Amino acid sequence: MDSNMLDSLLDIEEDFYKEGYDLGVADGAHAGYTEGSVFAVEKGFEKFIELGRLYGKSLVWAQRLADSKTKAETSEQSQTAPVKTDALSLDPSISKELPQLPAHSARLARNLQTLMELVDPASLDMSNTEEAVNDVDERLRGAAVKAKLIQRAMGESEDGGQKPGDGTGSIEDISALNVRH
């Protein structure tokens, strides 16, 4: 009987280690799931904020492009015939501050159309599957590239302001240089 009691005393450390390990695994699984869920929500929110920002920019660019095209057509028609304005015209004060767009180009219109298709909220898959997450990531990357192309074509900087100079970014564009006195 003495050897049986001593064997249990020798195994007590092993028993406590196993019990602590099992409790740690259970607590870690629960905490890991909770932390993983919070992380997933944060990352998803960041991605959809960026998609929303690009969608808003695309809407503004599309309206500016349509306005510049309409103004160009109106100026051509005003030389030939009077124009009827039956449509409701919204003229927000902020649009008066926006600089004129460069000449209308088919490439700019195609890039803008592609951007709008990539960031259209109605076409985004909101399911939590691997394919849906990959699709959102790919669309976000493609939309960011298209937005940069459009910004360069419109002569805008990253923050939305107008770049100094002619907007080509060429080495001959010295208008952005500061003069030293």
Side-chain angles (χ1 to χ4, degrees):
M1 186 160 222
D2 277 335
S3 69
N4 199 9
M5 183 182 280
L6 289 176
D7 287 341
S8 66
L9 283 176
L10 293 175
D11 292 339
I12 195 165
E13 184 181 359
E14 183 72 27
D15 291 342
F16 284 143
Y17 176 79
K18 183 169 178 7
E19 182 182 345
Y21 179 81
D22 291 342
L23 288 173
V25 166
D27 287 345
H30 182 267
Y33 180 77
T34 303
E35 289 176 13
S37 297
V38 169
F39 182 75
V41 168
E42 288 174 354
K43 288 300 168 187
F45 185 76
E46 289 173 8
K47 288 177 185 178
F48 281 95
I49 284 287
E50 183 62 20
L51 282 169
R53 188 182 70 81
L54 291 172
Y55 183 62
K57 283 178 126 178
S58 70
L59 290 175
V60 170
W61 287 331
Q63 187 62 47
R64 287 178 62 197
L65 190 63
D67 288 347
S68 67
K69 191 175 179 181
T70 304
K71 287 178 185 177
E73 290 172 357
T74 303
S75 66
E76 289 174 5
Q77 289 178 358
S78 65
Q79 296 171 357
T80 59
V83 177
K84 279 185 147 179
T85 56
D86 293 334
L88 177 65
S89 175
L90 298 177
D91 191 23
S93 61
I94 194 165
S95 66
K96 292 178 184 175
E97 297 174 11
L98 293 174
Q100 288 292 88
L101 289 178
H104 177 72
S105 73
R107 178 179 287 174
L108 177 63
R110 277 194 317 269
N111 283 336
L112 186 56
Q113 183 63 34
T114 303
L115 175 64
M116 291 185 78
E117 289 170 1
L118 286 171
V119 296
D120 182 19
S123 67
L124 290 172
D125 189 5
M126 300 289 191
S127 62
N128 191 18
T129 63
E130 191 71 28
E131 297 84 26
V133 171
N134 288 337
D135 180 53
V136 168
D137 287 342
E138 289 174 13
R139 289 172 76 168
L140 182 58
R141 278 191 296 274
V145 169
K146 287 295 178 186
K148 285 183 182 180
L149 286 172
I150 293 168
Q151 283 175 338
R152 287 185 185 146
M154 291 187 171
E156 293 179 354
S157 64
E158 189 67 31
D159 62 356
Q162 197 73 6
K163 284 196 299 191
D166 62 0
T168 62
S170 67
I171 196 167
E172 290 85 16
D173 182 17
I174 62 167
S175 61
L177 298 176
N178 293 328
V179 178
R180 295 183 196 171
H181 294 285

